[in-house]
Amino acid sequence: MAKRLSVLDAGRCVGCQSCMFACARRPGLGGLAASSIWVKSAGGVRKGYVVVVCRACPGPPCSRVCPTDALPLRVGGGVRLKPELCIGCRNCVEACPFGAVLWDGEHDKPEICVYCGFCAPYCPYDVLKMEEMTHVER
Amino acid sequence: MTRYPGCLPLTSPAAASSVTGRRISSRPAWAALVRRSGSSEEECPQGVDPMAPGNPIIMAVGPLVGLYPLASKTVAMFKSPHTGNLGESQAGGRSAVAIRMAGYGAIVIRGVSASPVYLVVEGSHVHFRDASALWDLSSAYTTGTIMRQRESGAGVRSIMRIGRAGERGVTYASVITETFRHFGRLGLGAVFGSKRLKGLVISGGRSLPVADRRAYRALYDQIYKAATESPVMKKYHELGTAMNVLPLNAMGALPTRNLQSGHFDEAESISGERLAAEYLGRRVACAHCPVACVHLGTLRLPYPKEPYFYKTSMVGYDHEPIFAVGSLLGGSDVSGIFQLLDEAEVQGLDVMSLGVTLAWATEAFQRGLISEKETDGLALEWGAYPAYIAATKRIVKQPNDFYRALARGAEYAATIYGGADFALTFGKNEMPGYHTGPGCHLGYLTGARHSHLDSAGYSIDQKAAATGKTLTPEDVAAGLLEEERWRQVLTSLVVCLFARGIYTPEIVFKSLASAGFVCTNDDLTRIGADILRRKVAFKRREGFDETTLRIPKRILETATPLGVIDEEFMRKTIQLYTENV
Ligand code: SF4
């Protein structure tokens, strides 16, 4: 079964960005350009945080709008990025209703979650977890 | 508006991401900035009026930001309108990560705008936004909301702004960042206001290559593990610094009613334990910090005109705010304390200076140095929060000479109305929440920014109390100097001082090496001592004189856990510190 990253309870998120930095660190980089997780306040720190991750949809809109098939489907849900095919049009960014397709401005390519789960253990408050996908195939 | 507000990238994105082995001595954050063109004198002209266009604002981050957790502070340097001397204030929030991710090592702001503006820095683009409609907004919360809604970069940006206090030149006005974090001390907010600079939004998302990827990840894990599991960090993420209230009170070191006592009978009601149990609503973190020490309490207020109608707000609390507007004002009504803290946030005031100034005013009122004529009808009594909140609004509005004086702090007000003996200021800066012995007060007196964070004198006292060792001026001067020198290194790296137990010299070397900076123990020792010397030299240049430092009589009257403080001991230690700096 394919796995994906689940947001167990965004209400526990403290906005520490540990997950975002972990995502970028997996390929060995500091900073945030290589991160595919996006944590932002829910309208100011007082209101808590929104944690945006790729939910590995079974029929992902990002893939459907890609003019060059640079985002082929992953078996079990979600997509993979074929960077050599990407022309940097950003259609995928526009298409994702969650805003989970982030943009790496340094390479002019989308940052696509690879569902590796490297980030989850760095969340100090168990907001994130790798889980077997349970959604129904369409 | 030719030179204002200039935003100079001191490290180009390419330079900042270079991983070749530069020696750290070429770029420690603080020194690199102020010495950008050779010396501090070049950025800040001698004798400049802190409210004049020539006073620079320098905001610097360090080489570990964006690489390692808890390297999360921005250091702001400026000339302080509060003390008339060196201004240094440090804030967390998202500021440091946002500045580094935008590609900058530091931002320098000079000059004055013809009309109110706020600055937006998005990577290499700098925009000047008209802020004339935002000027004089009644609440700094609203200003933050508007900037948040208008600007991009959600999640990876910092939103700094001032409130009315900064616009109106209250000398202890703060700059608020991300709500609940502040460049609190020494009046950076007033300097923003003097430049008609309402705020600064900065964002970016770069990557930072490292020298050795595997070593980087391993060291990261070591630091991360220490931050989340080590007992040295526990107090920050559980009760937060408010856990200090009860132990300090038990030893008689919790400044109470303007330090007429070191013991507060009602301390239990304002303790970290009580606040956590009954009010803690949420904890939040600075960017790239898993500790999440920021404790937000819930303030639930009924609407007087309608039953079953409530307003619920979040209020940040820590030991210092609780001391400053709680025990020092003789108040244990948490709702009142939270409302006063909220008012300080709305107006954009440093809550420590505010509390100490109100405490001076309360005692002056009780002693008849001032009356309702000066306060304009307010009866300032210990713990009278409605009066304190009204007074806070007036400090910002400044309707008469008395409130204009309070807007310049306790020491200035005492020069006009008397009561200097109980004006709890050190180098003109209002005191922090420790009365542990001579060490803490010597730290406030000698520290470069007159803060408990400069040299942690309270820790020298507490060690002496625990071991029963008798302190000597030599020991105290040496202890303060050693700690303050090392803290120059940590704060130049912009490591949060709460993580000082994690960032040992060994970890500092290793982390710097992976960021491309090679240095030795000697380098760090020399740099720390050098930065401190330069700060002291700057202060002397601007008129600071250790020999005439005012020691408020009150601290010599109220016994500490180490007994009554002897003035001779204090003078001798200051002299030794000065000779050896
Ligand atoms: S690591 Fe966890 S708590 Fe921190 S920002 Fe990510 S989801 Fe939130």
Side-chain angles (χ1 to χ4, degrees):
Chain A
M1 274 283 262
K3 288 194 168 187
R4 71 158 178 206
L5 192 61
S6 292
V7 179
L8 296 185
D9 185 357
R12 284 201 300 260
C13 174
V14 297
C16 70
Q17 299 183 332
S18 295
C19 53
M20 293 165 64
F21 279 99
C23 184
R25 197 166 60 255
R26 193 189 74 103
L29 288 169
L32 289 170
S35 183
S36 47
I37 303 178
W38 185 25
V39 178
K40 56 182 174 173
S41 81
V45 175
R46 284 180 283 178
K47 308 225 165 73
Y49 295 91
V50 176
V51 182
V52 181
V53 300
C54 174
R55 73 182 295 260
C57 337
C62 56
S63 173
R64 278 183 270 140
V65 299
C66 177
T68 62
D69 289 332
L71 293 170
L73 299 185
R74 179 180 73 139
V75 179
V79 295
R80 286 182 298 123
L81 172 67
K82 290 192 158 174
E84 66 284 5
L85 296 182
C86 172
I87 54 169
C89 72
R90 298 186 189 229
N91 281 2
C92 50
V93 174
E94 298 293 323
C96 177
F98 304 101
V101 178
L102 301 182
W103 198 253
D104 175 356
E106 290 181 349
H107 300 98
D108 220 21
K109 302 260 180 280
E111 269 305 327
I112 300 290
C113 178
V114 297
Y115 320 105
C116 69
F118 185 80
C119 53
Y122 289 95
C123 175
Y125 302 103
D126 298 329
V127 175
L128 298 172
K129 193 178 175 208
M130 282 302 280
E131 284 188 333
E132 295 288 344
M133 299 197 2
T134 51
H135 54 219
V136 184
E137 299 286 337
R138 274 185 286 182
Chain B
M1 224 170 63
T2 42
R3 287 186 73 206
Y4 177 81
C7 185
L8 311 175
L10 294 189
T11 46
S12 69
S17 63
S18 138
V19 292
T20 51
R22 279 188 309 269
R23 291 176 67 81
I24 184 182
S25 51
S26 63
R27 331 177 70 93
W30 186 84
L33 281 177
V34 180
R35 290 194 298 196
R36 190 172 59 93
S37 341
S39 68
S40 54
E41 288 79 357
E42 300 209 12
E43 285 297 346
C44 186
Q46 182 163 6
V48 73
D49 175 350
M51 301 294 273
N55 186 15
I57 298 169
I58 303 161
M59 290 186 167
V61 298
L64 305 183
V65 176
L67 286 174
Y68 291 101
L70 287 122
S72 49
K73 293 278 183 181
T74 301
V75 179
M77 304 295 306
F78 51 99
K79 192 166 171 190
S80 164
H82 195 52
T83 63
N85 213 306
L86 182 70
E88 173 178 348
S89 191
Q90 305 179 7
R94 301 192 164 242
S95 59
V97 168
I99 291 172
R100 183 103 203 252
M101 290 294 98
Y104 300 91
I107 295 171
V108 180
I109 301 169
R110 284 195 221 88
V112 60
S113 172
S115 62
V117 291
Y118 72 88
L119 258 175
V120 178
V121 183
E122 288 164 339
S124 55
H125 299 277
V126 179
H127 309 277
F128 297 82
R129 302 272 201 253
D130 176 21
S132 42
L134 300 182
W135 209 252
D136 203 31
L137 264 180
S138 59
S139 168
Y141 285 119
T142 313
T143 305
T145 303
I146 290 163
M147 290 180 181
R148 188 164 58 240
Q149 287 170 351
R150 284 188 85 202
E151 304 302 335
S152 64
V156 290
R157 67 185 170 190
S158 180
I159 303 178
M160 304 175 196
R161 67 273 190 179
I162 59 169
R164 273 181 171 163
E167 295 172 4
R168 296 183 184 193
V170 178
T171 59
Y172 46 95
S174 68
V175 172
I176 302 164
T177 171
E178 283 67 80
T179 319
F180 312 123
R181 294 294 91 186
H182 314 88
F183 294 96
R185 309 231 67 192
L186 299 175
L188 182 61
V191 183
F192 265 55
S194 74
K195 299 185 180 313
R196 297 196 188 90
L197 177 62
K198 184 69 182 168
L200 170 62
V201 184
I202 182 160
S203 63
R206 308 169 51 232
S207 56
L208 301 169
V210 293
D212 175 343
R213 294 177 178 211
R214 192 170 294 182
Y216 168 53
R217 278 193 298 249
L219 181 59
Y220 190 102
D221 287 348
Q222 190 184 341
I223 296 172
Y224 182 88
K225 196 165 174 314
T228 48
E229 293 172 19
S230 122
V232 298
M233 298 308 293
K234 196 169 154 173
K235 76 169 184 188
Y236 301 116
H237 51 90
E238 293 188 347
L239 296 178
T241 56
M243 80 165 284
N244 289 334
V245 171
L246 287 183
L248 285 172
N249 193 51
M251 66 179 85
L254 182 67
T256 300
R257 287 185 297 279
N258 203 36
L259 196 54
Q260 293 178 18
S261 170
H263 179 85
F264 186 40
D265 285 341
E266 295 143 63
E268 213 282 314
S269 326
I270 58 168
S271 63
E273 290 80 354
R274 175 69 78 86
L275 294 177
E278 291 181 18
Y279 298 93
L280 182 57
R282 186 185 288 292
R283 273 173 43 207
V284 298
C286 293
H288 210 176
C289 173
V291 177
C293 76
V294 186
H295 286 57
L296 304 182
T298 45
L299 171 64
R300 183 166 172 258
L301 290 178
Y303 180 56
K305 292 189 185 159
E306 190 173 324
Y308 303 108
F309 191 96
Y310 293 90
K311 168 180 124 167
T312 303
S313 340
M314 291 291 200
V315 179
Y317 68 82
D318 261 305
H319 171 68
E320 301 299 341
I322 291 169
F323 129 80
V325 308
S327 63
L328 199 74
L329 293 179
S332 59
D333 160 22
V334 176
S335 172
I337 291 172
F338 278 8
Q339 287 176 65
L340 182 50
L341 292 177
D342 195 52
E343 190 61 37
E345 195 81 29
V346 162
Q347 304 286 352
L349 283 165
D350 170 27
V351 78
M352 291 166 70
S353 286
L354 174 69
V356 176
T357 300
L358 288 174
W360 169 84
T362 308
E363 187 165 344
F365 187 84
Q366 293 200 329
R367 289 171 180 262
L369 297 177
I370 53 170
S371 66
E372 291 197 9
K373 185 170 142 281
E374 281 78 22
T375 65
D376 201 11
L378 292 181
L380 297 177
E381 315 273 358
W382 300 122
Y385 288 102
Y388 288 142
I389 290 163
T392 301
K393 291 187 207 277
R394 291 180 199 181
I395 285 171
V396 174
K397 210 166 170 203
Q398 298 167 43
N400 65 16
D401 284 343
F402 175 66
Y403 288 106
R404 270 189 288 280
L406 289 191
R408 296 173 68 174
E411 184 154 334
Y412 178 80
T415 62
I416 311 267
Y417 297 97
D421 288 351
F422 55 87
L424 297 170
T425 58
F426 296 81
K428 298 196 185 139
N429 194 25
E430 283 74 11
M431 80 174 283
Y434 306 85
H435 182 57
T436 46
C440 70
H441 294 292
L442 284 160
Y444 315 152
L445 285 162
T446 56
R449 53 190 161 130
H450 304 289
S451 154
H452 61 302
L453 295 169
D454 284 322
S455 49
Y458 56 86
S459 148
I460 295 177
D461 294 331
Q462 280 164 302
K463 273 182 204 140
T467 58
K469 188 168 172 278
T470 310
L471 289 175
T472 65
E474 288 74 17
D475 291 344
V476 177
L480 291 173
L481 268 173
E482 189 188 334
E483 185 65 22
E484 190 164 9
R485 285 177 182 141
W486 174 243
R487 288 184 177 213
Q488 303 309 314
V489 174
L490 290 181
T491 55
S492 292
L493 296 172
V494 301
V495 165
C496 175
L497 286 174
F498 289 173
R500 62 187 180 274
I502 297 176
Y503 279 86
T504 58
E506 194 208 336
I507 295 289
V508 167
F509 296 137
K510 283 194 190 165
S511 55
L512 278 171
S514 80
F517 297 90
V518 181
C519 62
T520 66
N521 208 354
D522 287 351
D523 287 337
L524 290 186
T525 310
R526 184 175 43 72
I527 290 166
D530 183 50
I531 296 174
L532 181 58
R533 256 194 309 273
R534 297 180 73 94
K535 287 183 180 176
V536 172
F538 179 96
K539 287 178 70 173
R540 288 187 184 141
R541 189 195 82 175
E542 298 298 322
F544 181 72
D545 181 357
E546 295 87 348
T547 59
T548 58
L549 257 178
R550 190 183 79 92
I551 300 176
K553 213 165 183 183
R554 174 59 46 81
I555 69 161
L556 308 172
E557 294 164 349
T558 302
T560 74
L562 298 177
V564 174
I565 299 173
D566 170 32
E567 179 159 7
E568 265 316 294
F569 184 101
M570 300 289 284
R571 293 281 171 207
K572 177 79 187 149
T573 313
I574 294 169
Q575 187 200 334
L576 288 167
Y577 176 98
T578 307
E579 284 166 9
N580 291 306
V581 76

